[in-house]
């Protein structure tokens, strides 16, 4: 692994699929059952907050007792074996990376374990179902509590740090993402222009496959531990 000094990992819903969480654009995925414009845009929340909160309360509920899988654990192992050299950026809103032990982590689409007040911007752990008439503990106002999740049309979180890391990485690994949604889908091009070696680990070729130097297709719980083992033993 002495080959690489600054590793950036991008993960998507496919990483959590084998932990039992639905992906978005696979067969049976979330967007087959719900329209994005009904449940995952700021306009949807303005129009019908009840419907949006019900969608996310149900998704939060499905996260109940899910556990990290072998792929999450392999990524935590890579970070532990090379402290200070690995940054994980996830599009996922689940807590499975943290539960597996990953520390240097950016949730660019937010976290379903947190709620956000649109009036004052304060965040709180999301323990009970969110409701429209919920009063914010910080500003005492109601009607503004939403999931701390980035919706279509909103700017993902901590993009400055992400682009700085992309400009400096020498290995970029994309795992479990279809490469359909920007800005994450554009990260591989940024990494390539920084001269990084780019690798896709996914069930099948993503939309961005032509941008990758290397691709290993298969289930994350198989291809990710194998790739990490290879990195750690070369
Ligand atoms: P975008 O407009 O770049 O999204 C492009 C893709 O998202 C499209 O190819 C389509 O697959 C889907 N999409 C977007 N709007 C759609 C619509 N109205 N109907 C059907 N499909 C639609 O994404 P964006 O608007 O720039 O969103 C900003 C960020 O918010 C993105 O990074 C997105 O991933 C994120 N987001 C997060 C969640 C979540 O649940 N975490 C949900 C939605 C969006
Ligand atoms: N192992 C590896 N890859 C898998 C597995 C698995 N077991 N199961 C599915 N995949 C792959 C699929 O082949 C697909 O390419 O994971 C990818 C999942 O793609 P999407 O469902 O589009 O999820 P993602 O790419 O994370 O979506 C990006 O779009 O809706 C928004 O904000 C939402 O963060 C999400 C973003
Ligand atoms: Zn508030």
């Amino acid at each position: 692994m002495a080959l690489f000094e600054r590793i950036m990992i991008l993960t998507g819903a496919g990483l959590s699929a084998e932990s039992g969480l639905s992906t978005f654009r696979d067969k049976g995925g979330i967007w087959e059952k719900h329209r994005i414009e009904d449940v995952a845009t700021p306009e949807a929340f303005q129009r019908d907050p009840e419907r949006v909160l019900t969608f996310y309360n149900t998704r939060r509920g499905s996260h109940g007792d899910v556990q990290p899988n072998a792929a999450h654990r392999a990524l935590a192992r890579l970070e532990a074996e090379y402290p200070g050299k690995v940054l994980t950026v996830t599009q996922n809103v689940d807590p499975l990376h943290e539960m597996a032990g990953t520390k240097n982590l950016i949730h660019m689409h937010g976290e379903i374990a947190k709620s956000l007040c649109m009036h004052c911007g304060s965040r709180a752990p999301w323990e009970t179902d969110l409701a429209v008439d919920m009063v914010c503990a910080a500003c005492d106002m109601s009607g503004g509590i939403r999931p701390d999740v980035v919706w279509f049309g909103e700017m993902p979180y901590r993009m400055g740090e992400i682009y700085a890391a992309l400009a400096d990485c020498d290995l970029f690994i994309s795992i479990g993402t279809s490469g359909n949604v920007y800005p994450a889908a554009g990260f591989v091009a940024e990494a390539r222009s920084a001269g990084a070696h780019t690798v896709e680990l996914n069930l099948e070729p993503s939309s961005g496959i032509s941008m990758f130097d290397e691709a290993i297709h298969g289930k994350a719980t198989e291809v990710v531990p194998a790739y990490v083992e290879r990195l750690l033993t070369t």
Side-chain angles (χ1 to χ4, degrees), residues 1 74 77-78 81-82 227-234:
M1 226 290 285
R77 178 186 168 217
L78 178 64
E81 305 246 348
Y82 290 94
Y227 189 76
V228 167
E229 185 59 27
R230 199 174 103 197
L231 275 182
L232 294 178
T233 49
T234 45

Side-chain angles (χ1 to χ4, degrees), residues 2-234:
L3 286 178
F4 302 107
E5 291 298 317
R6 294 172 309 286
I7 301 177
M8 179 150 163
I9 299 166
L10 170 68
T11 65
L15 184 78
S16 301
E18 291 164 87
S19 295
L21 292 180
S22 302
T23 60
F24 292 93
R25 294 171 187 84
D26 281 320
K27 201 166 161 11
I30 291 175
W31 300 140
E32 262 186 19
K33 306 183 183 94
H34 301 272
R35 291 183 341 138
I36 286 172
E37 49 270 41
D38 292 340
V39 293
T41 64
E43 298 74 20
F45 188 68
Q46 291 303 327
R47 189 172 55 246
D48 187 349
E50 196 76 49
R51 178 172 191 178
V52 172
L53 293 184
T54 305
F55 170 71
Y56 278 96
N57 284 332
T58 312
R59 278 189 68 196
R60 174 98 180 81
S62 72
H63 285 212
D65 51 0
V66 287
Q67 293 301 317
N69 60 50
H72 294 101
R73 289 194 294 275
L75 296 179
R77 178 186 168 217
L78 178 64
E79 182 193 72
E81 305 246 348
Y82 290 94
K85 294 186 177 170
V86 181
L87 168 65
T88 302
V89 176
T90 187
Q91 301 172 89
N92 298 337
V93 294
D94 63 54
L96 296 177
H97 275 301
E98 302 89 320
M99 288 168 73
T102 290
K103 306 247 180 309
N104 194 17
L105 174 66
I106 295 179
H107 274 278
M108 65 180 282
H109 291 167
E111 299 174 65
I112 206 162
K114 290 182 186 156
S115 65
L116 173 67
C117 172
M118 292 178 79
H119 299 306
C120 70
S122 68
R123 289 179 169 81
W126 175 346
E127 267 128 20
T128 58
D129 276 0
L130 302 185
V132 177
D133 57 358
M134 236 171 181
V135 174
C136 169
C139 72
D140 235 9
M141 290 179 71
S142 71
I145 302 287
R146 62 173 270 187
D148 184 19
V149 158
V150 175
W151 286 328
F152 285 95
E154 293 181 324
M155 194 56 194
Y157 294 152
R158 298 173 61 182
M159 291 307 293
E161 294 167 71
I162 293 172
Y163 282 119
L166 282 167
D168 184 39
C169 69
D170 57 9
L171 175 61
F172 176 77
I173 312 170
S174 176
I175 305 172
T177 180
S178 61
N180 284 320
V181 182
Y182 286 83
F187 289 175
V188 60
E190 301 288 329
R192 282 183 73 84
S193 49
H197 178 65
T198 55
V199 182
E200 170 173 283
L201 306 178
N202 204 55
L203 196 60
E204 75 236 339
S206 73
S207 306
I209 183 63
S210 61
M211 301 291 284
F212 288 92
D213 299 314
E214 197 182 350
I216 306 169
H217 294 128
K219 288 168 40 174
T221 53
E222 289 162 13
V223 300
V224 176
Y227 189 76
V228 167
E229 185 59 27
R230 199 174 103 197
L231 275 182
L232 294 178
T233 49
T234 45

